[in-house]
Amino acid sequence: ADTSTAGDPTYFSFYRNANVTLTADGGYKVLDFDTVTTDSSNGEGAASYVVPNGREGTYYFSASPMFGGYAPTGIGGWIATKIERTISDTAAVEGHIVWQRCYVNLSGNYTSVPISAVFDMKGGDSVKIYAAATNVGDADFIFLGVSGSDKLSTFSGFRISD
């Protein structure tokens, strides 16, 4: 479907290339999807997507980060992902959070905590993805990258209207 009135769609898809270890129970960490699959309007920013000037509109964003290397204690822990929009001219932020329960019997296994959102964006506005873990037992958890030819953690989006 055409995602702009000019017939020039705006879309992107990034993924995490290598695993990165994050500290658990230390608040939200920015997830850097460090490899570009496609980026129609050069919106890749520092661990973010930045709407290029002239590409304003309503956007759909989706991220599916995968995590591993945790060992929940007691009745289990939680891993959360947050999608956050920063408004360029005011630095105001808005976002959404999704929590995923990590049960004890899944210790050492993997979980994905997908999140999506629709935001009205203007040139310079940015979107970042964050993660946090609590009561996962270990001091660290792993934000997973590529495994063979499989991209385990992805972040993508497209403009749905001007």
Side-chain angles (χ1 to χ4, degrees), residues 4-156:
S4 76
T5 58
D8 184 17
T10 303
Y11 53 88
F12 74 93
S13 179
F14 306 150
Y15 66 92
R16 179 72 202 172
N17 187 41
N19 294 353
V20 64
T21 300
L22 304 172
T23 302
D25 299 331
Y28 282 96
K29 311 289 187 275
V30 175
L31 300 181
D32 185 4
F33 297 86
D34 61 351
T35 306
V36 176
T37 303
T38 186
D39 186 357
S40 68
S41 300
N42 299 313
E44 180 187 19
S48 66
Y49 180 77
V50 180
V51 172
N53 288 325
R55 306 309 291 177
E56 294 78 6
T58 302
Y59 281 73
Y60 173 81
F61 296 97
S62 176
S64 185
M66 185 172 276
F67 304 98
Y70 56 86
T73 56
I75 60 169
W78 297 87
I79 294 180
T81 56
K82 175 170 63 169
I83 187 168
E84 187 174 270
R85 168 189 175 222
T86 301
I87 301 167
S88 58
D89 56 355
T90 65
V93 296
E94 66 174 317
H96 306 282
I97 299 172
V98 173
W99 288 90
Q100 173 69 42
R101 186 73 185 252
C102 302
Y103 292 97
V104 174
N105 62 350
L106 295 178
S107 178
N109 286 335
Y110 306 96
T111 191
S112 180
V113 189
I115 192 165
S116 61
V118 173
F119 294 118
D120 288 326
M121 307 287 288
K122 59 183 179 296
D125 289 0
S126 63
V127 171
K128 289 185 178 182
I129 308 298
Y130 297 82
T134 59
N135 298 322
V136 293
D138 297 330
D140 300 323
F141 64 114
I142 301 169
F143 173 40
L144 298 172
V146 172
S147 176
S149 62
D150 296 325
K151 297 170 180 83
L152 302 179
S153 296
T154 60
F155 174 34
S156 60

